[in-house]
Amino acid sequence: MAASGRSREERWSLAGKTALVTGGSKGIGRAIVEELAGFGVRVHTCARSDADLQECLRRWGADARLARVTASACDVAVRGDRERLVARAREELGGRLDILVNNAGQTMFRAATETTAEDYARLMATNLESSFHLAQLAHPLLLEAVAAASGGDASTSCIVNISSIGGFVSYPTLSVYSATKGAMNQLTRSLAVEWAKDKVRVNCVAPGGVRTDIANSSGLKLDPEVSLKLAEAEMARVPMHRIGEPEEIASLVAFLCMPAASYITGQVICADGGRTIAA
Ligand SMILES: NC(=O)c1ccc[n+]([C@@H]2O[C@H](COP(=O)([O-])OP(=O)(O)OC[C@H]3O[C@@H](n4cnc5c(N)ncnc54)[C@H](OP(=O)(O)O)[C@@H]3O)[C@@H](O)[C@H]2O)c1
């Protein structure tokens, strides 16, 4: 038995928890949904494409651990959609929410001089405003989960934001994307301090390059040769000399949600093969 009075099994368990994970139909979000559900979490997720969600639900339905995942279409850039999403998640999760993962996001490669007011507003709404507003909407539900937990368990409720190493290092043509991610890092620290009294932990995972189709999902038409050159240049700067896999981000998210991480809040943890600490 640990000093906290919880056994090792309890500290490393998410059984019986509920979670809302945004952007769970592809890439990192899908890996997070599958990792949390694999630990016994009841997960609700969303994406803009209902067809992609239905395809995920069909696949998940064939696996006993994932069959309880539910989903609804939502554009997190739209305020009304966010309100409907949280109401739907609450309903699907039996009125209880322990975990919010703000993962849905898009990228944009555009020179600052060519970025329009619409580009700027769209990316801010998708990556940053959505994370703030969903945290606001989830807060009362997270408080209810704390109150319902036996002994007001301090590790029960948490938020994990998915930012990017772009919030730490600067890439040409990624100024607005990086600004959204740098702001998510600071939002994490600010909410962690503000909500510590509520026993809601707030942390952030900042991935480096991860093998997903984010450029395509973000509506970018990249020249394959240019993309390859950019990827090679980036990998040359990663001490581990490889790209990350979505599962390698999902495992860190799951850890941050566990009682084992009960003294960790306000942290932004890079999962980047060492990219941000290399000379
Ligand atoms: N891949 C990387 O190298 C990398 C590196 C650092 C950080 N990240 C961050 O990791 C997160 C996930 O990225 P990913 O690489 O997994 O991207 P992805 O493969 O494109 O998946 C993004 C997911 O979010 C959903 N989504 C996108 N825009 C949305 C919106 N407006 N409303 C609701 N859902 C939306 C997508 O579905 P729909 O398209 O159907 O909406 C999809 O399910 C993002 O926040 C990204 O910035 C990624």
Side-chain angles (χ1 to χ4, degrees):
M1 196 70 82
S4 63
R6 273 184 296 240
S7 67
R8 178 186 299 274
E9 287 70 28
E10 285 167 333
R11 286 185 292 117
W12 291 94
S13 169
L14 287 172
K17 306 277 188 208
T18 58
L20 170 58
V21 178
T22 62
S25 65
K26 295 178 215 158
I28 294 170
R30 184 165 66 195
I32 294 170
V33 169
E34 293 176 356
E35 189 81 340
L36 292 180
F39 276 110
V41 178
R42 260 176 81 181
V43 182
H44 186 78
T45 192
C46 75
R48 290 166 302 171
S49 164
D50 192 46
D52 286 352
L53 288 173
Q54 293 310 321
E55 174 55 22
C56 286
L57 289 174
R58 196 192 54 73
R59 241 175 2 96
W60 290 331
D63 180 328
R65 292 169 319 137
L66 305 177
R68 286 196 310 168
V69 176
T70 55
S72 53
C74 162
D75 183 343
V76 297
V78 177
R79 195 172 180 85
D81 273 24
R82 297 192 288 256
E83 287 164 351
R84 280 185 288 278
L85 172 67
V86 172
R88 176 75 182 271
R90 180 181 201 166
E91 198 181 300
E92 297 282 3
L93 300 173
R96 176 178 178 142
L97 184 67
D98 300 283
I99 297 162
L100 167 66
V101 182
N102 280 314
N103 163 77
Q106 286 172 32
T107 192
M108 181 178 74
F109 298 100
R110 193 150 302 162
T113 49
E114 288 164 20
T115 299
T116 65
E118 288 72 26
D119 293 331
Y120 181 91
R122 183 180 49 80
L123 219 61
M124 284 288 165
T126 305
N127 295 0
L128 178 60
E129 186 188 316
S130 68
S131 302
F132 180 66
H133 187 211
L134 285 168
Q136 281 183 315
L137 292 168
H139 183 252
L141 305 184
L142 298 172
L143 290 190
E144 280 174 28
V146 170
S150 56
D153 183 345
S155 63
T156 294
S157 290
C158 70
I159 297 175
V160 181
N161 294 318
I162 307 300
S163 69
S164 163
I165 60 166
F168 291 101
V169 296
S170 304
Y171 295 89
T173 75
L174 275 179
S175 60
V176 179
Y177 175 77
S178 300
T180 67
K181 298 301 187 177
M184 283 176 77
N185 292 347
Q186 185 53 37
L187 180 64
T188 299
R189 294 184 277 260
S190 299
L191 293 184
V193 167
E194 197 165 322
W195 292 349
K197 66 175 184 339
D198 300 329
K199 301 181 175 174
V200 174
R201 294 182 300 109
V202 187
N203 288 296
C204 185
V205 173
V210 178
R211 195 189 310 279
T212 73
D213 204 10
I214 190 169
N216 195 30
S217 319
S218 302
L220 304 179
K221 304 261 175 294
L222 296 181
D223 178 331
E225 244 175 67
V226 175
S227 302
L228 187 65
K229 282 217 172 93
L230 283 173
E232 282 171 357
E234 180 63 11
M235 284 315 108
R237 301 194 65 180
V238 175
M240 289 178 76
H241 291 304
R242 69 170 176 86
I243 196 165
E245 300 298 334
E247 295 73 20
E248 294 178 303
I249 308 303
S251 51
L252 176 52
V253 173
F255 164 67
L256 288 170
C257 296
M258 287 197 179
S262 58
Y263 201 46
I264 302 175
T265 197
Q267 301 307 304
V268 182
I269 303 175
C270 294
D272 65 353
R275 168 68 171 86
T276 46
I277 48 88

